[in-house]
Amino acid sequence: MPLSAALDRVLASDLVSHVQVPGHDNSAMDGYALHSRYDGTKGLRVIGESRAGRPYAGPVGDQECVRIFTGAVMPDDCDAVIPQEQVAVDADGVTIEGTVSPGQHRRLAGEDLAVGAITIARGRKITPSDLGLAASIGRDVLTVVRRPRVAVFSTGNELRDLGAPLERGSIRDSNRYTLIGMLTRLGMEAIDLGIVGDDPVALDAALVAACGVGADAVITSGGVSAGDADHTRDVMRRAGDVAFWKLAIKPGRPMAFGLLAHGGRSIPMFGLPGNPVATMVVFHALVRDAMLKLAGARVEPVPSITAVCETAIPKSSGRTEFVRAIATRDAHGWRIRPTGLQGSGILRSMSEANCLIVLDHDRGPVAAGETVEAWPFQGLG
Ligand code: AMP
Ligand code: MG
């Protein structure tokens, strides 16, 4: 990818520097370049100037110095810079107040990057500073990993797409939109396979279609809980090695995961619970890292904050609970309060929230004033 288009892509191989940065010793201050041998007894004659982009070329003797500015190349015979605030300038030249130590206010060639240094490691999701770093070593093209293609479909006879009539008892399919949004944020290419009814033939066809469009993974929502028609399980099991799980988390208890076999290839399939909040929570908690891994990205822990909880939160030990919450910061640090109703169908509170409080498996009820850990949504993708 051209450097200008590589932001957020995953670097495919280590970027090794063939040059050193900075390329030359240079000054960290505006002042005077000299050799630290200077004995300080008499004034130094100013014999020239070194400006950024306009180096001083000639030799510099023991009783001489060069006017120098920040970023300008150090003249050959000089090893130190005296800031302009620390000198007296008169007809005899420049006299120094204080002592000069070798190397003072000098930036060394290669101190940012040495020749042969790994400038950016493979698996890195390219950040703005990486773009700058690549530019600083003159790289205008980066080798990045192809974005994984992830097929997404929703299951449920009650689901209707946007624009379709909504008869009594049917609902809009919202999960596909949240899933595609979360995948896009993570840098995946989502393939929208629409809505599939609770029907074994249609489900089978959708799984075949997902493999047919060259998907690297499939994510579905709905139809994975114990009460769901057995055919969901049958179809998924027939299509590959898919296991159904009950997870000790809330929301998001049911989930299916396994490998779909198609044409000698097998791709991971994630069957997420249908409740809109459960879909999102399970995606963040369990699918996100897998997606990053699929993308060739280095998987790093989700950044979290520690916050004082303003209200009590009911919690049973024996499962991990995720609570939609709003974190704010004041002079004392982070404070947090749950959004209102926590039903797993209440998507509005997910939009109101800016983070998920994560209450560990063994934790019991939270009292107001206790500290909790939370994942800011911005850190999730
Ligand atoms: P299920 O996991 O299929 O039993 O669905 C659990 C709940 O989530 C039900 O109330 C479904 O109507 C709802 N649901 C399932 N899929 C979706 C979807 N794609 N968009 C919105 N709600 C859904
Ligand atoms: Mg369903």
Side-chain angles (χ1 to χ4, degrees):
M1 298 290 295
L3 189 61
S4 54
L7 185 66
D8 288 336
R9 298 300 301 264
V10 175
L11 194 67
S13 53
D14 289 344
L15 182 65
V16 175
S17 179
H18 298 294
V19 295
Q20 57 179 0
V21 179
H24 307 274
D25 290 3
N26 66 88
S27 178
M29 301 287 263
D30 290 343
Y32 296 85
L34 74 171
H35 198 281
S36 55
R37 282 193 294 270
Y38 169 65
D39 65 11
T41 50
K42 48 180 174 143
L44 291 169
R45 200 159 64 85
V46 183
I47 58 163
E49 269 188 2
S50 182
R51 290 182 173 270
R54 294 182 188 282
Y56 175 80
V60 184
D62 275 2
Q63 289 304 319
E64 294 173 340
C65 66
V66 170
R67 182 78 171 115
I68 197 163
F69 298 90
T70 305
V73 173
M74 289 291 284
D76 281 346
D77 302 318
C78 301
D79 70 349
V81 173
I82 309 295
Q84 60 196 22
E85 297 80 8
Q86 291 171 19
V87 303
V89 186
D90 61 21
D92 292 340
V94 167
T95 309
I96 291 154
E97 302 151 11
T99 56
V100 186
S101 38
Q104 75 173 42
H105 304 306
R106 176 185 58 171
R107 299 173 180 155
L108 286 176
E111 72 177 15
D112 189 353
L113 290 172
V115 173
I118 293 178
T119 309
I120 311 172
R122 100 183 225 266
R124 166 87 164 178
K125 208 165 190 198
I126 295 160
T127 64
S129 62
D130 297 332
L131 295 179
L133 209 50
S136 76
I137 62 168
R139 287 291 292 256
D140 55 0
V141 171
L142 295 179
T143 308
V144 300
V145 182
R146 176 176 67 80
R147 262 197 276 259
R149 294 158 63 79
V150 182
V152 179
F153 64 85
S154 300
T155 68
N157 285 336
E158 76 282 25
L159 303 177
R160 296 290 175 274
D161 208 349
L162 302 177
L166 202 60
E167 64 276 29
R168 186 174 158 79
S170 56
I171 62 169
R172 294 285 174 213
D173 170 12
S174 59
N175 288 346
R176 236 173 346 122
Y177 294 88
T178 38
L179 281 169
I180 290 172
M182 290 186 292
L183 286 167
T184 307
R185 274 277 169 88
L186 282 182
M188 312 290 130
E189 188 186 313
I191 306 170
D192 186 349
L193 294 184
I195 297 167
V196 178
D198 294 308
D199 160 48
V201 175
L203 201 57
D204 211 26
L207 292 175
V208 170
C211 296
V213 294
D216 301 299
V218 182
I219 300 180
T220 69
S221 70
V224 292
S225 54
D228 285 307
D230 284 341
H231 56 72
T232 303
R233 290 160 181 257
D234 292 344
V235 170
M236 287 184 182
R237 286 218 174 102
R238 234 184 307 132
D241 173 20
V242 178
F244 290 78
W245 291 344
K246 281 182 190 161
L247 306 172
I249 64 173
K250 185 195 173 193
R253 202 162 78 110
M255 174 176 176
F257 171 73
L259 295 175
L260 287 181
H262 183 83
R265 211 160 84 94
S266 64
I267 59 173
M269 193 208 89
F270 301 82
L272 306 187
N275 272 306
V277 178
T279 301
M280 294 195 75
V281 165
V282 172
F283 183 92
H284 289 321
L286 291 152
V287 182
R288 173 188 177 274
D289 286 6
M291 290 295 114
L292 292 174
K293 186 138 195 187
L294 201 61
R298 215 171 31 241
V299 179
E300 278 156 8
V302 173
S304 63
I305 58 168
T306 300
V308 174
C309 194
E310 290 175 343
T311 62
I313 307 175
K315 159 81 168 64
S316 322
S317 67
R319 67 183 179 205
T320 302
E321 293 193 17
F322 299 89
V323 180
R324 284 146 270 168
I326 298 166
T328 52
R329 222 189 128 103
D330 63 19
H332 305 291
W334 287 102
R335 309 184 67 77
I336 204 161
R337 70 190 144 82
T339 57
L341 292 172
Q342 294 286 325
S344 62
I346 301 178
L347 190 55
R348 179 172 60 95
S349 67
M350 199 75 186
S351 274
E352 281 169 9
N354 64 4
C355 62
L356 283 175
I357 296 175
V358 184
L359 300 173
D360 289 341
H361 189 87
D362 293 329
R363 189 157 183 175
V366 176
E370 278 184 31
T371 299
V372 294
E373 190 195 347
W375 294 342
F377 287 153
Q378 279 181 358
L380 290 168

